[in-house]
């Protein structure tokens, strides 16, 4: 075959293995694809077609491309030697070190070590999985971006939203656009029937415009239109922070607990404050700054309020002002409200002002 004919006619290999030389040289058997100094690639497939004019490999059937420690498997693959980009399609899987990627289509830039996956992409790295219609990862930095509806699962936490930016080295992920974090109940929760176990057995769900999840240690931060659901409790705030090690949620900025529970009398009880700490282990709440506790027309305002789930009791302190539906008031240093009994007890400099209804 003449040099001219070889330059224009594609070479066709059937079955077994094809390994070729560096760009600009004639492909041959038993030679490697030289991509970078010290790094070779090998292409295996049932059928491989090479066009010397365009310097493009087209492989079909049980395709396997290895570059260093990276392996790409697919039904079809197109490898451009000039651009050093591989385009794989049909049940694509990518394996490298402790990272795995699966999708309908994957393009891999060998020079930059960047992979772009589309069509139901699934990325795994140790205990972390990322699902999205589109995923891009740079293997050298392990930086990930994903879009089109993203779900990140790590341990008992599931984070979802419109778009994702994650760093697998620092183990941090940020989701924007209708972000949602679900913290599953502890696996041993519910072993006993006390209030602490009942609280721990509730799944906690956080909604926000933006969410950041960190693992090792596990914690999350939410901002913008934060809404939290835990069992039958509903709370809102501007910002929230979840810390797994302490089993608590910190809420800040116009905090409102819309209801303490679903059934009366808890359904009629609410709370507002500047800051609120919620214990996910026992269901307790600790509110600070401009606190107001309400229950069916009655309210208690103070500087701090502590709610104990087991007793369904709220203790309000700090220049407390208690007001009922008829306008009667009680001032005291401390007021204890029993939500289940719809009663209260005031102590410390108690002053009561009540209205006398005129007789007929």
């Amino acid at each position: 075959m003449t040099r001219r004919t070889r330059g224009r006619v594609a070479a066709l290999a059937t079955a077994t293995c094809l390994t070729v030389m560096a760009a600009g040289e004639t492909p041959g058997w038993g030679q490697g694809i030289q991509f970078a100094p010290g790094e070779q690639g090998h292409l295996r497939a049932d059928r491989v077609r090479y066009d010397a004019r365009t310097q493009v490999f087209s492989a079909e059937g049980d395709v396997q491309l290895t570059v260093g420690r990276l392996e790409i498997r697919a039904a079809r693959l197109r490898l451009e030697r000039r651009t050093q980009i591989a385009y794989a399609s049909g049940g694509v899987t990518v394996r490298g070190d402790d990272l795995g990627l699966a999708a309908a289509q994957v393009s891999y830039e060998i020079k930059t070590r960047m992979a772009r996956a589309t069509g139901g992409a699934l990325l795994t790295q140790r205990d972390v999985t990322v699902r999205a219609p589109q995923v891009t990862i740079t293997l050298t930095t392990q930086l990930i971006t994903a879009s089109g509806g993203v779900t990140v699962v790590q341990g008992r936490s599931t984070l979802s939203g419109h778009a994702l930016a994650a760093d697998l080295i620092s183990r941090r992920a940020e989701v924007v656009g209708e972000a949602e974090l679900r913290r599953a109940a502890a696996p041993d929760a519910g072993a006993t029937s006390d209030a602490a176990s009942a609280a721990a057995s509730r799944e906690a769900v956080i909604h926000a415009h933006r969410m950041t999840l960190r693992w090792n240690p596990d914690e999350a931060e939410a901002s913008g239109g934060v809404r939290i659901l835990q069992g039958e409790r509903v709370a809102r705030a501007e910002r929230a922070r979840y810390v797994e090690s302490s089993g608590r949620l910190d809420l800040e900025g116009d905090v409102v607990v819309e209801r303490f529970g679903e059934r009366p009398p808890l359904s009629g009880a609410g709370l507002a404050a500047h800051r609120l700490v919620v214990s996910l282990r026992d269901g307790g709440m600790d509110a600070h700054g401009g606190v107001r506790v309400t229950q069916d027309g009655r309210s208690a305002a103070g500087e701090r309020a502590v709610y104990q789930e087991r007793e369904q009791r709220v203790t309000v302190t700090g220049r407390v002002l208690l007001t009922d539906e008829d306008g009667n008031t009680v001032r005291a240093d401390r007021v204890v409200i029993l939500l289940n009994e719809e009663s209260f007890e005031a102590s410390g400099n108690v002053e009561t002002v009540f209205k006398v209804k005129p007789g007929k």
Side-chain angles (χ1 to χ4, degrees):
M1 182 181 293
T2 66
R3 182 186 300 271
R4 182 178 179 182
T5 303
R6 186 172 60 243
R8 297 181 61 183
V9 179
L12 180 65
T14 304
T16 66
C17 168
L18 174 66
T19 57
V20 296
M21 302 174 62
E25 300 179 359
T26 304
W29 299 99
Q31 298 169 320
I33 310 172
Q34 196 70 36
F35 295 117
E39 189 173 74
Q40 261 194 350
H42 296 272
L43 178 63
R44 296 176 175 86
D46 293 338
R47 296 171 299 282
V48 176
R49 183 179 180 88
Y50 177 70
D51 191 325
R53 180 170 52 85
T54 60
Q55 296 186 28
V56 172
F57 289 94
S58 299
E60 292 184 357
D62 195 19
V63 181
Q64 178 183 348
L65 173 66
T66 58
V67 183
R69 291 185 295 180
L70 183 79
E71 178 189 83
I72 301 175
R73 289 182 176 271
R76 296 168 296 279
L77 185 138
R78 172 186 171 92
L79 175 59
E80 299 178 354
R81 297 181 68 203
R82 287 175 179 170
T83 62
Q84 294 190 15
I85 300 177
Y87 300 92
S89 61
V92 184
T93 61
V94 181
R95 297 288 179 186
D97 295 328
D98 61 349
L99 186 142
L101 178 63
Q105 302 91 27
V106 173
S107 65
Y108 179 62
E109 298 179 8
I110 297 169
K111 291 180 180 179
T112 61
R113 301 195 68 198
M114 178 182 291
R116 293 183 174 88
T118 58
L122 171 63
L123 185 144
T124 59
Q125 194 234 25
R126 286 177 282 184
D127 61 338
V128 179
T129 63
V130 178
R131 291 182 182 273
Q134 302 178 40
V135 172
T136 299
I137 178 169
T138 303
L139 298 179
T140 51
T141 60
Q142 295 205 10
L143 295 178
I144 297 172
T145 58
S147 59
V150 183
T151 300
V152 182
V153 179
Q154 191 278 325
R156 292 193 292 123
S157 298
T158 301
L159 177 62
S160 60
H162 287 170
L164 164 77
D167 185 335
L168 295 181
I169 295 177
S170 63
R171 298 178 70 77
R172 178 180 182 273
E174 182 177 78
V175 166
V176 296
E178 297 184 11
E180 177 187 273
L181 175 65
R182 288 183 175 269
R183 172 197 175 270
D188 59 346
T192 60
S193 58
D194 60 19
S197 292
S201 66
R202 301 170 185 162
E203 179 184 61
V205 182
I206 306 174
H207 297 271
H209 298 320
R210 181 183 299 271
M211 196 93 63
T212 300
L213 175 66
R214 298 180 181 88
W215 51 97
N216 193 25
D218 295 342
E219 60 181 40
E221 293 180 1
S223 60
V226 178
R227 185 170 180 261
I228 299 172
L229 308 174
Q230 188 196 15
E232 298 164 343
R233 182 182 299 167
V234 181
R236 297 181 184 274
E238 294 177 359
R239 298 172 300 281
R241 182 169 180 259
Y242 160 64
V243 181
E244 173 74 19
S245 58
S246 59
R248 56 185 269 178
L249 273 167
D250 290 357
L251 287 71
E252 292 184 346
D254 296 329
V255 180
V256 175
V257 179
E258 296 180 353
R259 62 173 181 265
F260 283 39
E262 188 68 31
R263 298 177 181 177
L266 297 183
S267 59
L271 181 148
H274 298 323
R275 180 172 179 264
L276 177 69
V277 177
V278 180
S279 172
L280 299 179
R281 294 174 178 170
D282 61 16
M285 295 187 292
D286 191 350
H288 297 263
V291 175
R292 180 177 295 276
V293 179
T294 58
Q295 185 187 29
D296 298 330
R298 295 177 293 277
S299 67
E303 290 303 312
R304 183 182 181 187
V306 176
Y307 170 66
Q308 296 166 290
E309 173 119 325
R310 185 194 301 270
E311 296 83 1
Q312 295 184 10
R313 179 175 64 194
V314 182
T315 302
V316 186
T317 55
R319 301 188 298 277
V320 184
L321 173 62
L322 185 69
T323 306
D324 67 13
E325 59 270 28
D326 295 324
N328 302 313
T329 62
V330 176
R331 294 183 181 273
D333 296 333
R334 181 173 182 267
V335 172
V336 178
I337 304 171
L338 299 177
L339 298 177
N340 55 346
E341 299 177 5
E342 300 187 63
S343 63
F344 73 90
E345 179 180 317
S347 60
N349 300 309
V350 180
E351 179 184 351
T352 302
V353 177
F354 58 90
K355 294 182 179 181
V356 177
K357 295 182 180 180
K360 293 183 180 180

